[in-house]
Amino acid sequence: MLKLLRKIVQTGRVTGTVPLDAGPRPSLLLNAAHPLRGSVQIRQVDAGSCNGCETEFAAAFGPVYDVERFGVRLVASPRHADALVVTGPVTRNMAVPLVKTFEATPGPKLVIALGDCARDCGVFAGGYGVAGSVADVVPVDVEIPGCPPTPDDIVASLRRVVGR
Amino acid sequence: MSPTGIAVAVLQVVLSIASAPFLVGMMRLIRARLEGRVGAPIRQPWRDLRKLFRKERMVSTNTSIVFSLAPLVLLASAALVAGIVPFLSTTSALDQVGDLFAVVYLLLLGTVFLSLAGLDAGTAFGGMGSSREMTIAAIAEPTLLVAIFALSVSTGSSNLGAIVADTLAHPSRAASPASMLAFSALAVVTIAETGRIPVDNPSTHLELTMIHEAMILEYSGPDLALVELAAHLRLVVFLGLLANLFFPWGIATTAQPLHLVAAAGAVAVKLIVLAAVIAVIEVFIAKVRLFRVPELLAASFVLAFLAVTVSFFLV
Amino acid sequence: MIGGALALAAGAALFAIAVGAVLPVRQRVVWVGLFTALCAGAGGVAAAAVLAGGNTFTADFPDLFPLGGVRIEFDALSAIFVLATAVVAVPAAIYGIGYSARGPSSRPAQVAWPLLVWGVMMVPAAGNVTGLIAFWELMALSSFVLVLAEHHHNPEARTAAQWYASMTHLSLLTIVLALAVLAHQAGGDSFTAIRAGTDHIGPTTATVVFLLSLVGFGAKAGVAPLHVWLPRAHPEAPSHVSALMSGAMVALGVYGLIRVGWDLLGGGPTWWGATVLAVGLVSAMFGILHALISSDLKRLLAYSTTENMGLVFIGVGAAGMFASSGNQPLASVALAASMLLVVNHAAFKGLLFLGAGSILSATGTRDLDRLGGLARRMPVTAATFAVGSLAIAALPPLNGFVSEWLLLQSLVHSLPSNAAVVAVAMPVAVAVVALTGGLAAATFVKAFGTTFLALPRTVEADQAHESPRTMQIGLIALAGVCVALALAPTALAAPLQRVSLAVGGLADGRPIHTNGVYLQLSGIEAGLSPLLLATGLAVMMVAVLVVVRRGRLRRTVRDIPAWGCGRTVQTARMEYTATSFAEPLQRVFDDVLHPEIDIDVDHRTESRHYVQAIRYRMHIRDGFEHRLYLPVLSVVRRWGDGARRVQNGSIHRYLAYSLITLIVVLVVSR
Ligand code: SF4
C-alpha cells in the first residue's frame, strides 16, 4: 500500500500531456440549450470491428486523455445512455441487436460512428458477412474518421459533442 | 410537533438532497486525482441528474406498477430518514416520530422496493442484482441493529436526539471502547449498504459483477434520476449518521438560525472528511468476490457484538 | 354482553355444523361460511368487550361430562388470543365460501370447519383443565379432518395428516400429563383453584410441569424442533383453513405456555425464561432459513410461521427472564410485544395464506418457479399480498414493524443489568431478530417478486384470472386489518395493559403509553409514531412526484421490450427463479442447511470434451427431521417388526401366551 502511495505521489497528474485540439472537426455541436450539453453518457456497441477502434476508444478514458473530465461517461445499459458509439462495419449478426440498442435508448439521443469501418465499412466493404455501414442501419449524427482514430481525435470529437 | 421542528426537518431534507450529488462528485474527483486524472468537476452529478430529468422515460411492456413506484418509495424513504437523523439540530420534529430502528427499517424498505423493481422487468441481470442486494442487506442487518444496541446502552434510549445529546453531555463516551467498536462496525456496514468498494463497485460496466447497478439497468430518464439521487442521498444519510452519532460536536441543540448555519458548516466538514477517507481507501483496495462479502460483514458483526458486551463488562 | 356473545358464537357454530351436514353442496358452502363468520365475529365481540372493559367473564357447566364439568373463564389473556382468532377467522370464513365452491365442499370438511373455528376460540376461554383438554382435542380432531379434506387428488395430504396426527397427540399427551400433575398437586381442577394451590407445589414438580407444557404447547406452536408437522400439514390443508391454523391455532401454543408457566405456576427461575428464549432463537433462525429456500409458496409460509412463533417465544422468554430478575416494567413491554405480534401475525399470515389460496385456485400450482406475472392478471390478490409481504417483513409503515420495534426495544433496554446471562443473551437475541428481519425481507421479495412480477413462467400462470368476489372480500378485509393495526397501534395500548395485568407471574404495570399518536414505553425514553411515519412517507412521495412533474418532462415510452443486451426474444426462462434468487443466501448459510447437490454431465459420444446435457439437482432436507425424527422412527419401526413376530395371528400362540401369563401371575402373586 505504501508502494502504491509513493507511486501516486511520484507520478502526479498525467492528463493533458498531449494536445487536445488536434484532429478533424466533427459536424455537430450541441448548443447551450440542448438537454445533453455538459453531460453525455455513452453506451458502446461493437457492431463487428477488428477491436482496433475499441482499444483507442478505451485509451480516451484512461488517465492520459481522461475524457471523463468533460462530462462524458461510459454506462452499461442503453437505458442510461445519451449516445451510442458504434464501431466497425455492421455485420449481419449485429444488425438486429444494433437496432434494438438504438430503440432501447431514450431520446434525445445521438449515434456516433467511430472509425472508418463504421462510416463506410472501410477495409471490410463488400464482405459476405457485412450488412452495411452504421448509417445504413441507424441514423448517424457524428462521424469520427480514422483507422483507427487516435485518442486525440476521439477526445476532440467528444468535446465537440458535449460542448465543453 | 412544533412549527420550528417541522421547519428544521424540512431544512435538513432539502439541504441533504441538494448537497448529496456534490458529495458524490467530490468523491469521484478525489478518486480521479489519485489515479492521475483531472476528473469531472464536482457539480457533474447534478448536471447528469438535470439532464436525466429532461430525457424520455421508458417503461417496458413486461413491468407492473412496482417499477414506477419503486423510485418514489426509494427516494421518499431516504428523504424521510434525512429528516429524522439529526444533521443540523436535535430539535427536528421527526425525532420522536422514529428512532434508529425506524431509520434502519425505512432504509430497508427502499432496498426492498428497488429489489422488487429489479425483478419486475424479468431480465436475468435485474434478478441477479436483486438477489445479491437482498443477500447483502439481510446479512448487514444484525450488525446494524447490534451496533444500535451498543449505542443505546449507555444512553438508555435509541432515539437519535437522545444519543446525540448524551454524547454532547459526556464527551468522554465518544472515546470509550464500546463507542469505537460500534463506530468501526457501522463504518463497514455503511460501505456495504451504500454499495462502495470492496462490496460493490459503483462504476462497473460489467453486468456480472454488478449489485446495485444490475437492478437499475432498466431505468431511464427521470426514474433513473430519482434512483441515482436516492443512492446519493443514502450515502449522505449513512455518513451523516456515522458523523453525528459519534462526533456530534457542532450540532445545534436549538432551532436558532445562527446555530443552524454553524451546524450546517460543521456537518459539511464532517461529511467531506468521511467521504474523502472512503474515496481514498477505495483507490487502494479491490472489490472482493461476492461470497467473501459475508465474511467482511461477519467481522463487522463481531465488532458490534463486542461493543455491546464491552459496554456491559467495562461500565 | 360477553356471555351473550359467547352463547351466540356457540349457537352460530352449532347451526353451521347442522347446515353443513344437511344442505346440498351449493347452499351448504354459503351458509356454513356465513355462520362460521358469525361465530368468529361474536367471539371477536366478546374478546373486544373484555379487552375494553377488563372484567373477567366466568361461567360453569358442572355436569357436561361424566367425570368433570367445563368452566369458562374469559380474561384479558384469553381475549387477546380470541381477538387474534377472530381477526383471521371472519375474513377466512367469507373467503371460504368462494374457495370451497371450487374445492373442499364435502360434508365432513364443511362440518369440521365451523367446529375448528369454534374450538380455536374456546381453548383460551376454558377455565379448567377438563375444559381446556376437551376444546384442545376438538380443535385437533377437526383440523385433522380438514388437513385430509383434499386427499382424493392430493396424496401428499395423507402423509401430512399422519405426521400431524402423531405430533398433535404427542402434544396432547404431554399437556394432559402436565395439567394432571398440576391439578393433582394444587388440589383442584379449575384454574382459580390451581392458582390458589400453587404454594403446595414444590420446585421439582413445578419444573416438571413447566417442561412438559413447554414440549406440549411448543409442539402446537410449531417451534423447532417440534415443528415437523407444520410445513407438511399447513400446505396441504385448504387455504382458508391454513390461514386459521397458521394465524391463530399455532398461537394457542404460546397461550398455553403463558397460562401454565406464568399464570398458573406464577413464574419460575430465570432459566425458564432463558429456555423459552433459546427455543425462540433457534426456531426463528431455522424457520426463516427454510422459508427462504422454499420454492413452494405455502410451505414457505408455513416455515415463516415457525419463524414468527419463534419471535413470539423470544418475547415471552425475555419477559420471563426480566420478571425473574425483578424488572417487571420491561417484562411488560416484552410481553406486550409478543401479544401484539400474535395479533399482527394472525392478520398478515392469514392474509398471505388466503393470497396463496387465491393463486393456487387460479393457477393450480403453489410452485413459485412455475408462477410469475400475476400482478396484471390478479390485481386484487397482488395488492393485498404485497401488503401482507411488507407487513411480515416488518417494514414500516405496516403493522409488523410496530411489534418488531417493541420487541427490539424490550431487548435493547435490558442493559445495563446485573445478570451476566442477560448481558450475553440479549445481544444474541437482537442479532437473531435482526437477521430474521433481513432474511424475511429477502424471503418475501422472492415470494412476491417471482409470483407476481415479470413474465409468467407457465401457461397456467399466463391464463390466470382474478378470484371470485367472496375471496376478494376476505383478502381486502385482512389487508385492511393490517393497515389499521399499523396506523393505530396506540388503540391497543390499554388492552395490552390489561393483558399484562392478567398474567400476574410475568408482568405488571403499563407497557405502553400513548401520547396522542406517539407510542411510548414505560421506563424507556423512546418513541415511535407509526401514523406520522406513514404520513411522512406519503408526503415525501407526493413532494417528489410534484417536483418531478413540474420539470420539463418528456413523453413516456411504453411499447418497448425490456433491455436484454440486444438479444432477439425475451422468454420467461431467462428470468431469475425463486430458487436462483435464494441461491446466494443459501450458499452463505451452507453450513446450516447442508444442501445435497447432484450434478450429472452427459458427454457426446464423439468426444468427451463436448457436453450434451448437464443436470443439476439440489435438495435441502429439514435438518431436525433428518437427524432427529428419522432415526427415532426407524427404531420404532424395528420394534414394530419385532412385535409382529410375537403377534402373528395364530390362535394357538395366543392361547400359549395366555397360559404363560396366567402361570406367571399366579407365581408372582402367591
Ligand atoms: S476502423 Fe480500422 S481499427 Fe476501427 S474497426 Fe475498422 S479496421 Fe478496425
Side-chain angles (χ1 to χ4, degrees):
Chain A
M1 191 162 160
L2 271 180
K3 226 167 111 192
L4 185 56
L5 187 67
R6 204 171 309 132
K7 186 122 194 171
I8 289 172
V9 174
Q10 278 169 5
T11 314
R13 194 183 301 170
V14 294
T15 311
T17 48
V18 287
L20 284 172
D21 297 336
R25 306 276 168 202
S27 46
L28 184 106
L29 251 170
L30 297 183
N31 63 26
H34 196 278
L36 300 186
R37 193 181 157 89
S39 159
V40 174
Q41 254 85 317
I42 291 178
R43 160 84 196 195
Q44 201 256 328
V45 182
D46 179 344
S49 95
C50 77
N51 271 202
C53 284
E54 269 77 24
T55 313
E56 305 301 322
F57 187 63
F61 287 84
V64 176
Y65 296 95
D66 191 27
V67 65
E68 262 197 51
R69 68 189 135 142
F70 303 116
V72 181
R73 239 173 5 110
L74 288 176
V75 291
S77 164
R79 292 270 198 267
H80 303 180
D82 309 304
L84 302 178
V85 165
V86 190
T87 54
V90 182
T91 56
R92 289 181 196 278
N93 286 345
M94 279 304 288
V96 173
L98 180 58
V99 172
K100 293 219 162 229
T101 313
F102 182 74
E103 282 167 357
T105 313
K109 56 189 165 188
L110 301 170
V111 176
I112 303 172
L114 179 68
D116 284 346
C117 287
R119 292 171 64 218
D120 55 13
C121 301
V123 293
F124 299 110
Y128 75 95
V130 173
S133 70
V134 175
D136 295 338
V137 182
V138 289
V140 171
D141 302 283
V142 181
E143 291 185 343
I144 307 178
C147 177
T150 63
D152 292 320
D153 295 346
I154 298 172
V155 172
S157 309
L158 289 179
R159 278 188 75 177
R160 288 299 170 125
V161 173
V162 223
R164 280 165 67 194
Chain B
M1 191 177 261
S2 63
T4 47
I6 294 177
V8 169
V10 171
L11 190 68
Q12 287 193 164
V13 173
V14 171
L15 276 186
S16 43
I17 290 182
S19 61
F22 286 113
L23 199 72
V24 172
M26 190 200 77
M27 291 174 79
R28 286 189 191 153
L29 187 64
I30 291 176
R31 193 188 161 87
R33 287 291 155 87
L34 291 178
E35 287 172 352
R37 296 192 284 123
V38 175
I42 286 186
R43 65 179 189 285
Q44 188 64 38
W46 258 125
R47 267 199 189 143
D48 294 350
L49 290 175
R50 193 189 60 191
K51 172 203 69 192
L52 284 175
F53 276 120
R54 296 178 183 175
K55 290 203 67 167
E56 270 174 6
R57 186 168 164 260
M58 291 188 136
V59 182
S60 78
T61 41
N62 305 341
T63 54
S64 68
I65 187 167
V66 172
F67 184 77
S68 309
L69 205 59
L72 285 179
V73 176
L74 185 67
L75 186 58
S77 62
L80 186 59
V81 170
I84 297 174
V85 175
F87 279 118
L88 302 179
S89 163
T90 51
T91 57
S92 165
L94 294 175
D95 185 54
Q96 279 299 311
V97 171
D99 61 351
L100 259 171
F101 292 120
V103 163
V104 170
Y105 280 91
L106 274 174
L107 291 172
L108 185 62
L109 176 73
T111 310
V112 161
F113 263 86
L114 194 61
S115 302
L116 285 175
L119 286 169
D120 202 6
T123 58
F125 290 133
M128 189 186 74
S130 309
S131 160
R132 292 176 176 180
E133 177 92 352
M134 286 317 297
T135 302
I136 289 175
I139 49 188
E141 207 76 347
T143 312
L144 267 173
L145 294 198
V146 176
I148 296 173
F149 189 175
L151 280 173
S152 58
V153 167
S154 51
T155 317
S157 169
S158 56
N159 267 44
L160 288 143
I163 294 176
V164 167
D166 189 68
T167 316
L168 284 177
H170 311 274
S172 61
R173 276 195 193 152
S176 71
S179 159
M180 272 149 57
L181 285 167
F183 178 80
S184 8
L186 272 185
V188 175
V189 171
T190 300
I191 286 174
E193 291 266 349
T194 53
R196 312 294 310 186
I197 291 175
V199 174
D200 187 9
N201 181 356
S203 54
T204 182
H205 306 308
L206 181 61
E207 286 93 343
L208 287 173
T209 65
M210 289 176 175
I211 299 176
H212 176 81
E213 286 282 307
M215 289 186 291
I216 64 173
L217 284 176
E218 198 49 40
Y219 278 114
S220 59
D223 284 340
L224 180 63
L226 292 182
V227 173
E228 298 255 304
L229 187 58
H232 300 339
L233 187 57
R234 282 165 78 101
L235 181 69
V236 167
V237 163
F238 270 102
L239 293 183
L241 271 175
L242 271 182
N244 273 358
L245 283 180
F246 296 94
F247 317 103
W249 294 278
I251 196 170
T253 45
T254 63
Q256 283 175 16
L258 215 60
H259 288 181
L260 289 181
V261 171
V267 80
V269 171
K270 287 182 248 181
L271 286 179
I272 288 172
V273 170
L274 280 175
V277 169
I278 290 186
V280 172
I281 292 175
E282 282 190 334
V283 174
F284 285 93
I285 52 179
K287 182 182 171 302
V288 298
R289 280 183 65 211
L290 181 67
F291 290 102
R292 303 301 291 274
V293 172
E295 295 169 18
L296 189 73
L297 291 169
S300 76
F301 171 71
V302 171
L303 291 175
F305 194 87
L306 278 180
V308 178
T309 35
V310 157
S311 70
F312 170 71
F313 288 110
L314 292 191
V315 175
Chain C
M1 150 94 181
I2 298 164
L6 286 179
L8 177 61
L14 273 178
F15 197 79
I17 293 163
V19 161
V22 178
L23 284 185
V25 165
R26 283 266 182 78
Q27 288 97 319
R28 183 199 300 162
V29 172
V30 176
W31 290 107
V32 166
L34 288 178
F35 277 94
T36 311
L38 178 64
C39 164
V45 168
V50 170
L51 287 172
N55 284 333
T56 303
F57 169 82
T58 48
D60 273 304
F61 302 92
D63 303 316
L64 208 57
F65 297 118
L67 288 177
V70 167
R71 183 179 157 83
I72 301 293
E73 192 180 304
F74 202 74
D75 64 358
L77 182 65
S78 323
I80 195 95
F81 284 89
V82 174
L83 186 72
T85 309
V87 156
V88 44
V90 176
I94 293 173
Y95 173 99
I97 299 174
Y99 189 81
S100 304
R102 304 176 175 190
S105 55
S106 70
R107 276 211 175 84
Q110 292 296 312
V111 169
W113 169 235
L115 213 54
L116 174 64
V117 171
W118 190 61
V120 171
M121 281 201 324
M122 291 313 283
V123 166
N128 65 347
V129 172
T130 317
L132 182 69
I133 290 172
F135 285 122
W136 192 269
E137 189 57 14
L138 179 71
M139 171 177 93
L141 286 178
S142 52
S143 55
F144 175 74
V145 172
L146 285 163
V147 169
L148 270 175
E150 286 178 329
H151 77 105
H152 289 300
H153 41 259
N154 189 1
E156 293 267 318
R158 288 171 218 159
T159 15
Q162 276 173 8
W163 277 91
Y164 181 49
S166 9
M167 289 307 286
T168 307
H169 282 93
L170 174 82
S171 144
L172 183 73
L173 198 71
T174 45
I175 292 171
V176 169
L177 224 73
L179 292 177
V181 171
L182 188 62
H184 174 73
Q185 297 277 328
D189 173 60
S190 76
F191 290 168
T192 348
I194 294 177
R195 268 184 220 117
T198 30
D199 301 338
H200 311 306
I201 299 178
T204 331
T205 320
T207 300
V208 169
V209 171
F210 173 74
L211 288 180
L212 281 173
S213 59
L214 180 61
V215 171
F217 291 118
K220 179 90 312 187
V223 290
L226 301 165
H227 65 283
V228 278
W229 62 274
L230 204 149
R232 291 169 188 271
H234 286 204
E236 304 309 335
S239 293
H240 59 299
V241 180
S242 324
L244 183 72
M245 284 169 69
S246 243
M249 192 180 80
V250 290
L252 295 185
V254 178
Y255 164 79
L257 189 65
I258 297 178
R259 181 66 89 197
V260 173
W262 279 276
D263 179 24
L264 300 186
L265 287 173
T270 312
W271 70 262
W272 285 21
T275 311
V276 175
L277 181 83
V279 169
L281 294 177
V282 172
S283 308
M285 273 310 298
F286 182 84
I288 197 62
L289 276 178
H290 275 271
L292 175 73
I293 51 165
S294 249
S295 54
D296 175 333
L297 182 56
K298 285 179 80 176
R299 203 174 157 83
L300 179 152
L301 293 175
Y303 269 120
S304 137
T305 299
T306 293
E307 177 234 353
N308 274 284
M309 285 304 117
L311 292 176
V312 175
F313 266 52
I314 290 176
V316 174
M321 287 174 82
F322 301 150
S324 326
S325 58
N327 194 347
Q328 305 290 347
L330 200 58
S332 314
V333 177
L335 182 68
S338 309
M339 293 303 104
L340 192 59
L341 182 54
V342 164
V343 177
N344 283 341
H345 180 244
F348 53 63
K349 188 53 67 62
L351 172 58
L352 290 170
F353 263 114
L354 296 189
S358 175
I359 296 161
L360 178 61
S361 70
T363 62
T365 181
R366 356 179 265 243
D367 186 352
L368 291 173
D369 292 344
R370 299 175 59 79
L371 295 167
L374 295 182
R376 293 146 157 253
R377 294 164 179 83
M378 308 174 73
V380 175
T381 309
T384 49
F385 199 93
V387 170
S389 300
L390 291 177
I392 200 167
L395 291 172
L398 280 157
N399 57 345
F401 173 65
V402 182
S403 38
E404 184 111 336
W405 183 81
L406 274 176
L407 184 60
L408 285 168
Q409 288 294 347
S410 73
L411 297 177
V412 160
H413 289 91
S414 57
L415 296 185
S417 146
N418 42 13
V421 57
V422 173
V424 177
M426 291 307 143
V428 176
V430 169
V432 168
V433 173
L435 191 57
T436 48
L439 292 176
T443 305
F444 284 91
V445 165
K446 177 188 93 170
F448 184 82
T450 45
T451 311
F452 291 102
L453 303 181
L455 295 171
R457 293 181 179 80
T458 49
V459 185
E460 291 79 27
D462 193 20
Q463 290 168 351
H465 291 293
E466 188 56 276
S467 303
R469 202 50 66 76
T470 43
M471 286 166 71
Q472 291 183 28
I473 292 174
L475 288 167
I476 293 171
L478 268 175
V481 171
C482 282
V483 173
L485 282 170
L487 299 184
T490 43
L492 283 175
L496 287 174
Q497 183 191 353
R498 296 207 174 87
V499 175
S500 91
L501 286 175
V503 192
L506 197 53
D508 60 349
R510 207 174 148 198
I512 305 172
H513 307 284
T514 53
N515 174 6
V517 287
Y518 294 98
L519 213 58
Q520 276 161 347
L521 308 176
S522 62
I524 294 176
E525 192 196 329
L528 179 79
S529 174
L531 182 64
L532 290 181
L533 220 49
T535 317
L537 213 52
V539 167
M540 294 292 174
M541 281 175 67
V542 170
V544 171
L545 207 59
V546 167
V547 171
V548 173
R549 281 287 138 84
R550 281 185 62 90
R552 280 191 280 152
L553 205 61
R554 297 199 170 228
R555 70 197 175 107
T556 301
V557 185
R558 285 183 194 280
D559 242 7
I560 41 155
W563 168 244
C565 304
R567 47 105 184 81
T568 34
V569 280
Q570 183 185 12
T571 70
R573 294 203 50 182
M574 296 169 183
E575 289 168 18
Y576 248 49
T577 57
T579 315
S580 45
F581 188 90
E583 203 264 356
L585 276 166
Q586 175 237 307
R587 272 175 72 169
V588 172
F589 292 97
D590 237 3
D591 294 338
V592 191
L593 294 169
H594 298 293
E596 287 166 25
I597 296 172
D598 288 332
I599 302 176
D600 294 340
V601 182
D602 289 351
H603 301 284
R604 282 186 188 275
T605 39
E606 296 85 20
S607 160
R608 53 175 300 278
H609 298 294
Y610 292 94
V611 171
Q612 177 112 41
I614 299 181
R615 263 182 304 277
Y616 175 90
R617 243 175 281 111
M618 188 194 60
H619 182 61
I620 296 181
R621 291 194 231 190
D622 188 313
F624 283 112
E625 190 180 314
H626 191 54
R627 304 229 174 75
L628 190 66
Y629 286 80
L630 294 187
V632 171
L633 284 181
S634 81
V635 168
V636 170
R637 190 163 302 139
R638 230 170 299 139
W639 278 11
D641 287 344
R644 208 162 54 197
R645 221 168 299 137
V646 179
Q647 190 156 26
N648 65 352
S650 142
I651 197 106
H652 303 288
R653 262 245 198 139
Y654 291 151
L655 285 173
Y657 292 157
S658 313
L659 189 66
I660 294 167
T661 317
L662 198 64
I663 292 168
V664 169
V665 167
L666 286 175
V667 168
V668 170
S669 61
R670 199 180 67 90

